[in-house]
Amino acid sequence: MEVIFGVIFHFIGGFASGSFYIPYKKVKGWAWESFWIVGGIFSWLIVPPVAAWLTVPHFVDIIKATDGGILMLTYFFGLLWGIGGLTYGLGVRYLGVSLGSTIILGLCSVFGALVPAVFYEFSPSAGKDSIGTLASTHWGQLVLIGIAVCVIGIVICGRAGTLKERDLNKEGAAVNENKDYRFGLGITVAIVSGVLSACFAFGIDAGAHMADAANAAWRTAEHITDTRNFLYKNNVTYIVILWGGLTTNFIWCMVLNARNKTFGNYTDGKTPLLKNYIFSALAGTTWFLQFFFYGMGESKLGNGASSWILHMAFIILIANMWGLVLKEWKGVSKKALTTLIIGIITILLSVILVGYGNNVKDKEVVKTAQIEAIK
């Protein structure tokens, strides 16, 4: 049941992440930077502490008691992730929800799995798997194969994007719903986003001390004696990570407001101001919900790598569902659409391989523990 609930929570989080951009499409008369930062203020500044206040007793005290070095490292990864989140919005804008999310999240899955392993090869830490461990164990080799398959899937999706661009540029081609489609620029920001978005996982790891403190306080208060973890333990860590994300996005959006002279958007009575603020707030809140449910899913599954990969898979599925609903592939050839589907299936296959590899690892850990107990 713990695993089932974990999968359900990750699905809800994936649905939130794959759907968050939809309310932005209802915003009228505002520049991208204006509605993006309004939504961001909700997702990175307002909603996280509210969620922590509702779920983690004395979360402020936990943050105050945390070592400054831990807070700065967690915040730093939040800054890098903020750049990834910023370019995620641009990638979706220029490539569409379907193709943009698939490429970004595929890369995010790859780097989320590889970068920590490389880091721990040079800076070993108890309980952390290095790239050497991955290369020398059966489960690790499965993970590496899965990562390689993911790269292949991303290349295939990139090919689908070039076919789409060619089809849409044909004379007399049907009008596509995505007016901002620009493959060259979109693929560039998508790559940047995919690499840096993985920093959120690193931020969770860096700020694990805060989550552990929340978990320990909950176990003590509830007199927990089994191996269960606090469902909302990561909510306190999110606050610090998202401060970093807010910093990056706020600075860039203010620069764009000044450059494009769009500060007037926030008070422009010629636009549906109330609706624009409501839809932007809804998008930002939905964006945060992905993290809220990710933390709940990870607390049930108990494996960060498996949780991360599973979460990415659900987002890819939901994002592509929205891509079809929004007719982002309207007017393209059957070959382009088929290529996209093959790319998505390839990425999902990679997710299954990585997940299976981590499952094998978990079983090996349990078996080793049982043997040690017998001794």
Side-chain angles (χ1 to χ4, degrees), residues 7 63 71 143 184 225 266 269 272 285 346 365:
V7 172
I63 295 175
L71 291 176
V143 170
T225 57
Y266 305 114
T285 302
T346 304
V365 169

Side-chain angles (χ1 to χ4, degrees), residues 72-90:
M72 286 304 300
L73 186 60
T74 306
Y75 175 78
F76 173 70
F77 281 125
L79 282 174
L80 296 181
W81 166 81
I83 299 174
L86 176 66
T87 47
Y88 185 101
L90 291 172

Side-chain angles (χ1 to χ4, degrees), residues 5 37 116 151-152 258 276 375:
F5 278 120
I37 195 58
V151 173
I152 294 173
N276 284 356
K375 291 180 179 180

Side-chain angles (χ1 to χ4, degrees), residues 5-317:
F5 278 120
V7 172
I8 291 174
F9 290 143
H10 278 304
F11 173 78
I12 297 173
F15 186 87
S17 181
S19 306
F20 89 93
Y21 205 84
I22 306 304
Y24 282 137
K25 292 182 175 293
K26 298 293 185 179
V27 176
K28 306 296 182 184
W30 278 10
W32 177 88
E33 59 269 18
S34 300
F35 67 68
W36 183 256
I37 195 58
V38 170
I41 288 173
F42 278 86
S43 59
W44 305 314
L45 183 64
I46 297 175
V47 179
V50 171
W53 177 70
L54 291 172
T55 57
V56 184
H58 310 296
F59 73 92
V60 175
D61 294 334
I62 293 176
I63 295 175
K64 287 181 177 179
T66 302
D67 179 76
I70 294 176
L71 291 176
M72 286 304 300
L73 186 60
T74 306
Y75 175 78
F76 173 70
F77 281 125
L79 282 174
L80 296 181
W81 166 81
I83 299 174
L86 176 66
T87 47
Y88 185 101
L90 291 172
V92 169
R93 177 185 179 184
Y94 295 130
L95 294 178
V97 176
S98 176
L99 181 61
S101 295
T102 298
I103 293 176
I104 291 169
L105 296 171
L107 286 167
C108 188
S109 299
V110 170
F111 282 90
L114 273 184
V115 173
V118 173
F119 174 79
Y120 291 121
E121 180 70 24
F122 298 98
S123 181
S125 179
K128 303 297 182 180
D129 301 313
S130 66
I131 192 69
T133 301
L134 294 179
S136 60
T137 59
H138 174 58
W139 69 266
Q141 291 165 1
L142 286 171
V143 170
L144 292 177
I145 292 173
I147 291 171
V149 172
C150 186
V151 173
I152 294 173
I154 294 168
V155 172
I156 295 173
C157 287
R159 173 59 178 166
T162 60
L163 292 174
K164 176 181 179 181
E165 184 173 45
R166 184 191 65 185
D167 293 337
L168 295 180
N169 287 334
K170 286 181 180 179
E171 185 176 353
V175 178
N176 188 268
E177 295 296 318
N178 185 8
K179 309 299 182 183
D180 293 321
Y181 184 80
R182 297 169 65 185
F183 181 74
L185 180 58
I187 194 67
T188 301
V189 296
I191 291 172
V192 173
S193 178
V195 173
L196 295 182
S197 291
C199 289
F200 195 89
F202 311 154
I204 292 176
D205 192 36
H209 175 79
M210 289 178 280
D212 291 341
N215 191 52
W218 172 76
R219 290 178 64 84
T220 300
E222 299 295 327
H223 307 290
I224 304 297
T225 57
D226 54 29
T227 58
R228 284 180 295 159
N229 288 313
F230 185 32
L231 199 59
Y232 309 109
K233 64 178 185 177
N234 282 323
N235 284 355
V236 62
T237 310
Y238 292 158
I239 294 176
V240 181
I241 298 175
L242 295 176
W243 282 340
L246 175 64
T247 302
T248 306
N249 282 264
F250 183 80
I251 292 174
W252 180 240
C253 287
M254 292 302 100
V255 169
L256 289 181
N257 275 147
R259 179 188 300 172
N260 300 330
K261 299 180 180 179
T262 52
F263 278 112
N265 287 165
Y266 305 114
T267 57
D268 188 355
K270 296 179 181 179
T271 65
L273 279 178
L274 181 59
K275 288 185 178 180
N276 284 356
Y277 278 108
I278 290 175
F279 282 121
S280 296
L282 178 60
T285 302
T286 304
W287 173 277
F288 172 76
L289 289 178
Q290 65 170 306
F291 310 129
F292 185 83
F293 286 101
Y294 174 84
M296 293 170 67
E298 188 182 35
S299 73
K300 292 296 183 183
L301 293 183
N303 186 292
S306 296
S307 287
W308 185 251
I309 295 295
L310 183 61
H311 193 73
M312 295 297 108
F314 281 133
I315 299 173
I316 290 172
L317 286 174

